[in-house]
Each structure stands twice: as structure tokens, then as C-alpha cells.
Amino acid sequence: MKKILISILAFANIHAYSQKLNFNAKGIVAISDADMAASAFVDGRLFKEKGSKDMLSIIKLPVEKYSDEIKSLVVSNSALSSNKNIVVSPVHPIAYVVENRGVPTETINEIRNLNTELPAGGFISVVDISDLTQPKVLYKFPTGKNPISVDISPNGEYLALCSEEYGKELQVLELDPTGKPIRIINKPQDFPSGRITDLTWHPNNNFIAFSMEDSKEVGLLKVTRDGPTTKIIRLDLVGKTLKVGQHPSAGQFTPDGKYYLVPDIKSNLHDKPESSLDANGDLFVLKFNLEGTSEHYLITKTKIGETPTNFAISPKGDLIVVSNTKKSYFPWEGTELAKKSSISLLKLSSDGSINNIAEYEFDGILPKSIIFDKSGENIAVTVFEYFNYGKHFGGIEFWKVNNGEKPSLQKQDFKLFMPRGCHGIQIIK
């Protein structure tokens, strides 16, 4: 086992080209799903590499060309989860990683339906990242069957998570001073039925937005607190839910909390290929009425790229970047395969309108996660794997943000090679 792990980690080295990496953060934490190739979303053929394990990797910044700054450990995770599959606490040196699905046995090579035939997941791993050179799993706690999405409150006192288990579809977990869950606040009794696929905390700590897959709706919850202790005692629905597109995905509030952005991804990765041939997504801008005195409403929507998977809002709230998978995840022998993914760059105005500025193509398969650094001057994008034969590996690619009257992105001549299946990323500020 030790030899296998050493072999795996040997491919998680830093590969740099001519210049130094520009990325403003103390570190990066990324997760990799080793159980399948990206094309399994289409044909179910896993192409699992013998001895490979799901990994969490920590990259301590800054890095140099030949330094060994990536530290990895085995942490169960799944690319089938929503894009909120890992969060870093803003007040504790810990990361929470969702196990959306379990690990298939080594003898299984093909799965007809990834959603129903993969082993069920059921917990969150809590990882100590106080020492970026020696991360370690502290403990795990149960979540309900197949947890989908997790988000942490801006003050680090609560986790919001959703799962597929009846009665545990939506939970808010109070955390103790060390970040350990100690109490559960359940969904309201009048909450609409259906599968919840995303939860997002408002920047003011007092509201949670949610998405529902079956009804294709987005809505808002308000937390009610006990006066003397300020602890949450219940959740209440605010206003009516809004219909949003065909597949509303993981949303985000702007940093000032004024708007809520949610992409319509049009089709899931595991839909049949023919349903994904015209899969340009939309990005919706919503305005929630936090007081419930009037209805929530849609401000605008705009086209983004083909098969979008995730997006990020700059710290100033004026720029948006979207990762687009295109057809990069299709089987390599198929005629529909495209060997390019892309990033869309958009500008968000103070009135909520969006201008689509440019789209940038790059080599790599299934970029599922994208994030700004804390300055907003650079972005990082995960790559599930690259188009190479032999040993397969994923990566993280970087772009510089050129701000101004017409912003643009410039690809940095630097990349990090990661274990295959890299699909989730967060920065350590």
C-alpha cells in the first residue's frame, strides 16, 4: 500500500513553465475523485486505475518551479456532487469535504447509471489544515444518504447541507468553538417537497438560498435567532419560489448580498450525449426581497458557454468567470469529442445587468471548479484530466485578470499536475 501511495503522489508534483505563479492566497485545497474517467458521465466506463484513491491535496503558496509543495491524503469524495463539495472555515483551520458517493469495488469496470448504481455516500470528512505541509483527517460525521451540497455561514458558526435522504433533505448544523457539529436545525414544516440540490448562505448570515431540481425553482429561507444567545432556533420560508430555467445549479450571492446569481446548466453531465449537443447555459441574476414584503424577481439572464459547470464572482462583485466543459468529457473514440474546454468572462453592473465579454478556450477535460484569489487579480480552474495516454492525471490552471474598461483574461504559463479527477477547489486565505 505504501508503494502504491508513493506512486500516486509522484504524479501530484508541480509543473511550471517559464514564469512564477501569481495567485494571492496562503494556499489551495483541492479534491480529486479517483473512481472514474470523465467520460464515464456519458458511457459509464470507469477506466479506474489500479490502486488509485480519492485524494485531498494542499498546495502551500508561493511555489517555485522545482519545489515539492503539494501534500495529499486519502479523503473520500465524488465528482457527482454539486460544486459545493468542499468548504474551508473562515474562522478555523479546517476543511469540510462531502462524500456524495462511496467507492466502487476494484472489480467493477462499468456502471450503467452513475446516479443509482454507485455505492451511497453518507458523511463529511473534517480535515485539519492548520499546517499546510501536514494536513490530516480529524473525524467524519454522518449527513444522511448521498449528501449533495455544503456551505458554511460567513461567521463560521453553521453548516448548511442537503442530502437525498428523506427527512434529512435540508439541515443546518450548529458548530461548536472548534468547528464540530453539535446541533441540527431542520427544514420548515411547510417546506415544499422535492430534491434540494444547492444551499447558499447570504453574506449577512441571516438567509439561505436553495435550489430544487424537480420543480426547477429557487427560493429563500430566513433564520430566526434566540435573542439572548443569538443561536438559530428555526428556519422560515420567505416569499414564493421562482422558476429558473431547466437545471438550476449551484448559486452564489454577490459579496454585498444585493443579487443572487444561479446558472441554468441546461443538461446534466450524465444525460445522454444527444441531449447535450446544444447545451449553452444561461446565467440568471435574481433579486431576493429579504423582508418578504414583495415578491422575489428575475432581473436578467445571459448566455454563457457550452455545458457550464461552475462560476465565481470576484471579491469586488464586478466580474464573473464561468467554467465550460463543452464536449471535452465525451468518450475519446467518439466523433462528438472536443478537446477544448473554455472560460467565459462577464461583467456585472451595479444595476444587476450582465455583459458577456469574452470566451477563452484551453486544453483539458471537465473543468468543474473555478475560483478567484483573494485579490481578484487571478483565477484558478480545475482540470479533471488531460488528453494523454499512459498515466492519467488532473490539474489546476491559472489566469491573470486584466481589469479596466474592457477586462480580459491572460493564461499564466504555469500549471499544477494533480491526481486524476480533480474537481473541487477552495483557497486558504
Side-chain angles (χ1 to χ4, degrees):
M1 178 63 190
K2 185 175 181 182
K3 289 183 178 180
I4 292 174
L5 187 57
I6 291 173
S7 176
I8 293 170
L9 298 184
F11 284 88
N13 290 328
I14 291 168
H15 179 81
Y17 293 106
S18 60
Q19 61 180 245
K20 185 177 179 180
L21 170 65
N22 292 314
F23 198 77
N24 191 349
K26 290 182 180 178
I28 296 171
V29 55
I31 52 175
S32 303
D33 180 355
D35 297 328
M36 64 183 192
S39 54
F41 281 106
V42 174
D43 61 14
R45 299 169 66 190
L46 301 182
F47 293 109
K48 186 174 180 180
E49 296 182 337
K50 187 175 181 180
S52 60
K53 303 290 183 183
D54 293 352
M55 306 294 283
L56 176 142
S57 302
I58 300 284
I59 303 100
K60 183 180 178 182
L61 300 176
V63 296
E64 302 297 336
K65 184 173 182 179
Y66 295 109
S67 63
D68 180 18
E69 297 291 346
I70 297 182
K71 305 299 178 184
S72 299
L73 69 162
V74 176
V75 176
S76 183
N77 65 86
S78 174
L80 264 70
S81 61
S82 87
N83 295 314
K84 292 176 185 165
N85 42 37
I86 177 172
V87 291
V88 174
S89 171
V91 295
H92 301 108
I94 53 179
Y96 300 89
V97 182
V98 171
E99 191 215 37
N100 173 253
R101 292 293 193 279
V103 179
T105 63
E106 294 283 353
T107 58
I108 295 179
N109 298 311
E110 185 172 346
I111 295 178
R112 289 175 298 176
N113 189 318
L114 296 177
N115 277 333
T116 61
E117 296 180 27
L118 278 173
F123 61 82
I124 285 178
S125 298
V126 182
V127 182
D128 180 357
I129 56 173
S130 57
D131 183 349
L132 300 187
T133 65
Q134 292 185 323
K136 57 184 178 182
V137 177
L138 296 174
Y139 55 89
K140 303 173 184 178
F141 63 86
T143 58
K145 181 182 177 182
N146 296 341
I148 303 168
S149 173
V150 64
D151 197 19
I152 192 164
S153 61
N155 62 5
E157 293 181 354
Y158 294 91
L159 286 177
L161 65 93
C162 51
S163 76
E164 295 181 354
E165 182 172 335
Y166 180 76
K168 297 182 179 179
E169 301 95 334
L170 189 159
Q171 299 176 82
V172 172
L173 307 182
E174 182 184 339
L175 306 176
D176 72 10
T178 69
K180 188 174 183 178
I182 55 173
R183 185 171 64 95
I184 298 174
I185 303 100
N186 290 308
K187 67 178 183 179
Q189 291 186 349
D190 59 346
F191 196 85
S193 61
R195 186 169 183 257
I196 303 166
T197 53
D198 182 60
L199 296 169
T200 309
W201 281 95
H202 190 277
N204 71 8
N205 281 298
N206 294 322
F207 297 89
I208 301 171
F210 61 89
S211 296
M212 304 192 71
E213 182 177 87
D214 298 335
S215 59
K216 311 179 192 314
E217 292 176 312
V218 173
L220 188 69
L221 289 168
K222 181 179 181 179
V223 306
T224 298
R225 300 177 185 271
D226 173 67
T229 65
T230 72
K231 300 296 184 182
I232 296 175
I233 55 176
R234 72 172 189 272
L235 306 174
D236 296 300
L237 280 167
V238 180
K240 297 179 180 179
T241 55
L242 282 174
K243 292 277 188 180
V244 177
Q246 299 175 27
H247 284 280
S249 185
Q252 295 180 45
F253 284 99
T254 52
D256 61 5
K258 187 176 181 180
Y259 303 117
Y260 185 68
L261 278 64
V262 59
D264 176 13
I265 59 175
K266 293 294 176 70
S267 61
N268 290 319
L269 293 174
H270 45 76
D271 286 343
K272 293 183 180 300
E274 56 266 25
S275 67
S276 300
L277 298 182
D278 184 18
N280 278 48
D282 293 314
L283 185 64
F284 288 78
V285 181
L286 309 179
K287 176 72 171 177
F288 283 125
N289 185 282
L290 302 184
E291 302 306 319
T293 55
S294 61
E295 297 301 326
H296 314 311
Y297 60 93
L298 168 68
I299 293 179
T300 188
K301 72 173 183 177
T302 189
K303 287 289 181 185
I304 43 181
E306 182 182 354
T307 319
T309 51
N310 205 347
F311 75 102
I313 305 173
S314 65
K316 292 182 179 178
D318 58 338
L319 294 179
I320 302 163
V321 287
V322 183
S323 54
N324 306 303
T325 292
K326 302 171 87 67
K327 299 183 184 70
S328 65
Y329 65 100
F330 277 40
W332 291 15
E333 67 276 10
T335 57
E336 297 298 334
L337 173 69
K339 292 190 175 182
K340 296 284 186 179
S341 298
S342 73
I343 297 173
S344 297
L345 176 65
L346 306 96
K347 187 170 182 63
L348 177 64
S349 299
S350 58
D351 62 359
S353 60
I354 297 182
N355 292 319
N356 205 321
I357 297 174
E359 185 174 352
Y360 302 84
E361 288 193 330
F362 66 99
D363 296 323
I365 301 170
L366 190 56
K368 278 207 83 202
S369 192
I370 186 167
I371 196 165
F372 281 90
D373 67 3
K374 65 181 183 180
S375 69
E377 296 174 354
N378 304 281
I379 63 169
V381 184
T382 62
V383 173
F384 198 91
E385 60 183 308
Y386 291 96
F387 289 102
N388 65 282
Y389 290 85
K391 178 67 182 179
H392 292 269
F393 48 88
I396 302 175
E397 306 254 354
F398 299 88
W399 274 259
K400 176 179 171 53
V401 179
N402 299 311
N403 228 320
E405 188 172 330
K406 187 176 181 181
S408 63
L409 301 180
Q410 179 182 351
K411 197 171 187 302
Q412 295 192 39
D413 195 13
F414 192 105
K415 70 175 66 176
L416 300 176
F417 286 156
M418 307 293 291
R420 187 183 77 164
C422 187
H423 68 96
I425 188 172
Q426 288 289 317
I427 65 170
I428 302 169
K429 297 180 180 180

